[in-house]
């Protein structure tokens, strides 16, 4: 047997014939850039999460950049960002010449620690970018009160957090200035590459739409639909090129319809892991508190302190199971470490927990057999590391 053929990857997208046919139909229509399907995707999504405006973009990174730009972040400003995230959350702050101020995380949830955030506030602080790590929502009310107390704009990096509710509302709607989802290939739903920005503010939505397409006051589709001469447009700002294409939106429309069923499958897998690992010497991820839901984009276990995490990952791989690490905290990455002259001791929780975390496969197309294989392989890899 070819061992590579039997390898269970850490993550795979859950796409099939329905997505393939929708994309093929979009291609056959001849409209390859942003058009009616991208519009439809925005409308259906806004309705799904109960948000007033949805702006489709070609990545969450683009959406986060547009959101910060639209709320007026500029050079000299400071933006609070958890150190426990992907570099995209911090890099978009830098795009605008502002400074990401990294903040330590809560030891249980690995979400931003608002007490640590409070201690990092200066007169230049303008915004906070909470990340719902692994799909576990940052408490809504605490976040809202914190932002209000310090007069901060809020842009939620919700790349892990679709499709779930927090405090009775879908993530995507609520009090924040903007919320951004990712449709990267391995996220909880996918368009290959893509993202969506939600806001309740007409001003933010308008600005994001304009900046999404070169700072042009009407998008290409409008130019072909409206009664004004089709060649006429005005450039009102030096914008970006962040629009989502119709073939990508076609995939997204199918994935959106399937999103809750895919979430139910991930929840089933998470519950199986929580039960199966309850007797092992590992720390398990917390369930969502009452009233909230966990998107289970990631299932992150923590090995005992002092355990050989890298050796564990190696043994898992040798036994045919892919794993990963989320995240290498940003304060350990050269660019952010050097920019802020940061030391690991300034982030005691993230620095300590980083050495223990391992992300296990949890994608909706996993079979029961594959889930059981992960269960057995985790136990075997722990035993052989003793
Ligand atoms: C994946 C991810 C992003 C970036 O999403 P893209 O759609 O690839 O730009 C941002 N933040 C977090 C936390 C992510 O995991």
């Amino acid at each position: 047997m070819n061992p590579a053929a039997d390898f269970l990857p850490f993550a795979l997208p859950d796409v099939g014939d329905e997505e393939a046919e929708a994309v093929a139909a979009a291609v056959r229509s001849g409209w390859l850039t942003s058009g009616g399907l991208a519009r439809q995707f925005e409308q259906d999504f806004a309705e799904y999460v109960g948000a007033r405006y949805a702006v489709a973009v070609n990545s969450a990174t683009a959406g986060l950049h547009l959101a910060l730009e639209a709320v007026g972040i500029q050079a000299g400003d400071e933006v609070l960002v958890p150190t426990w995230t992907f570099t995209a959350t911090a890099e978009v702050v830098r795009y605008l010449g502002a400074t990401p101020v990294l903040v330590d995380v809560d030891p249980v949830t690995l979400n931003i620690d608002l007490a640590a955030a409070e201690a990092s506030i200066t007169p230049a602080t303008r915004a906070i970018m909470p990340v719902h790590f692994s799909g576990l929502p940052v408490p809504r009310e605490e976040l809202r009160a914190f932002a209000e107390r310090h007069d901060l704009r809020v842009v939620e990096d919700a790349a892990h957090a679709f499709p779930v509710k927090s405090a009775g509302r879908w993530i995507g709607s609520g009090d924040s200035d903007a919320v951004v989802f990712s449709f990267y290939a391995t996220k909880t739903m996918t368009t290959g590459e893509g993202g969506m920005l939600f806001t309740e503010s007409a001003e933010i939505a308008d600005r994001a739409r304009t900046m999404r397409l070169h700072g042009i006051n009407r998008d290409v589709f409008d130019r072909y639909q409206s009664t004004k001469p089709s060649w006429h447009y005005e450039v009102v700002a030096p914008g970006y090129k962040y629009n989502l294409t119709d073939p990508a939106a076609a995939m997204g429309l199918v994935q959106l319809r399937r999103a809750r069923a895919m979430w139910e499958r991930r929840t089933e897998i998470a519950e199986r892991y929580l039960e199966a690992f309850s007797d092992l010497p590992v720390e398990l991820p917390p369930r969502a508190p009452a009233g909230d839901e966990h998107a289970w984009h990631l299932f992150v276990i923590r090995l005992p302190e002092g355990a050989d995490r890298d050796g564990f990952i190696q043994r898992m791989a040798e036994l045919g199971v892919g794993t990963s690490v989320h995240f290498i905290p940003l304060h350990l990455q050269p660019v952010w470490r050097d920019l802020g002259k940061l030391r690991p001791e300034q982030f005691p929780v993230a620095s300590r927990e980083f050495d223990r975390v391992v992300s296990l496969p949890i994608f909706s197309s996993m079979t029961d057999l594959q889930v059981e294989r992960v269960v057995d392989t985790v136990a075997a890899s722990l035993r052989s590391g003793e």
Side-chain angles (χ1 to χ4, degrees):
M1 190 178 69
N2 172 7
D6 200 34
F7 191 84
L8 176 67
F10 164 67
L12 280 179
D14 185 352
V15 291
D17 290 345
E18 213 188 332
E19 284 84 353
E21 277 154 28
V23 172
V27 171
R28 282 193 206 100
S29 81
W31 195 282
L32 299 184
T33 180
S34 306
L37 290 173
R39 278 283 170 83
Q40 186 71 49
F41 191 37
E42 289 178 332
Q43 282 163 10
D44 288 8
F45 229 124
E47 196 174 319
Y48 193 109
V49 302
R52 187 161 300 159
Y53 303 102
V55 180
V57 286
N58 59 11
S59 72
T61 307
L64 293 167
H65 182 196
L66 290 175
L68 289 183
E69 202 275 341
V71 302
I73 299 303
Q74 46 186 304
D77 292 347
E78 291 179 1
V79 177
L80 301 169
V81 172
T83 189
W84 201 275
T85 186
F86 184 56
T87 194
T89 323
E91 81 192 25
V92 294
V93 176
R94 211 63 200 130
Y95 289 177
L96 296 162
T99 305
V101 173
L102 300 184
V103 176
D104 207 359
V105 289
D106 179 272
V108 176
T109 63
L110 302 175
N111 278 334
I112 192 164
D113 177 345
L114 291 178
E118 186 130 35
S120 300
I121 286 183
T122 76
T125 312
R126 295 282 173 272
I128 180 168
M129 298 176 76
V131 176
H132 308 287
F133 176 69
S134 74
L136 183 66
V138 172
R140 242 184 221 284
E141 191 45 36
E142 284 171 44
L143 176 65
R144 192 197 57 74
F146 177 87
E148 204 169 278
R149 197 156 64 243
H150 299 289
D151 194 20
L152 301 180
R153 312 306 294 261
V154 181
V155 173
E156 295 177 37
D157 179 340
H160 299 183
F162 184 72
V164 288
K165 287 184 173 178
S166 165
R169 299 190 67 167
W170 290 98
I171 295 204
S173 70
D175 301 306
S176 297
D177 292 286
V179 183
V180 179
F181 292 143
S182 170
F183 310 135
Y184 180 70
T186 56
K187 293 284 164 48
T188 59
M189 63 165 270
T190 186
T191 58
E193 299 279 0
M196 191 73 82
L197 180 163
F198 296 94
T199 181
E200 300 300 308
S201 154
E203 202 182 322
I204 292 172
D206 278 352
R207 180 68 180 181
R209 288 212 170 101
T210 298
M211 295 306 278
R212 171 178 65 177
L213 205 73
H214 303 297
I216 290 173
N217 65 343
R218 291 188 293 152
D219 69 25
V220 174
F221 188 68
D222 274 339
R223 276 201 277 137
Y224 286 92
Q225 298 291 309
S226 97
T227 52
K228 283 190 197 157
S230 66
W231 51 264
H232 187 263
Y233 60 88
E234 278 178 332
V235 179
V236 297
Y240 312 109
K241 187 71 203 301
Y242 283 167
N243 55 304
L244 187 77
T245 67
D246 266 22
M251 186 186 303
L253 283 162
V254 176
Q255 289 266 292
L256 179 60
R257 283 198 296 275
R258 296 183 50 220
R260 197 65 177 175
M262 293 193 289
W263 170 75
E264 280 164 9
R265 175 59 181 156
R266 289 194 308 279
T267 302
E268 220 170 69
I269 297 168
E271 287 300 332
R272 173 62 188 137
Y273 285 166
L274 288 170
E275 175 212 291
F277 300 148
S278 60
D279 294 332
L280 296 180
V282 295
E283 193 177 319
L284 297 174
R287 288 189 174 83
D292 280 9
E293 293 169 339
H294 197 315
W296 294 116
H297 167 54
L298 299 173
F299 192 95
V300 177
I301 60 170
R302 293 185 236 182
L303 303 185
E305 264 180 71
D308 175 14
R309 187 266 315 271
D310 300 358
F312 175 85
I313 287 178
Q314 182 65 33
R315 289 192 295 282
M316 291 287 290
E318 282 160 6
L319 294 170
V321 174
T323 58
S324 190
V325 171
H326 297 88
F327 285 101
I328 303 169
L330 296 187
H331 69 267
L332 300 178
Q333 296 289 8
V335 62
W336 307 119
R337 180 194 63 205
D338 297 349
L339 180 73
K341 301 187 173 55
L342 303 174
R343 289 170 290 107
E345 311 84 78
Q346 293 169 268
F347 307 89
V349 175
S351 300
R352 181 186 72 223
E353 298 306 311
F354 166 56
D355 290 331
R356 309 171 56 203
V357 291
V358 181
S359 304
L360 302 179
I362 181 163
F363 49 95
S364 45
S365 59
M366 280 175 81
T367 63
D368 286 346
L369 216 62
Q370 288 172 323
V371 172
E372 292 313 309
R373 206 170 128 205
V374 174
V375 165
D376 295 343
T377 309
V378 166
S381 298
L382 281 171
R383 267 198 312 275
S384 61
E386 277 166 2

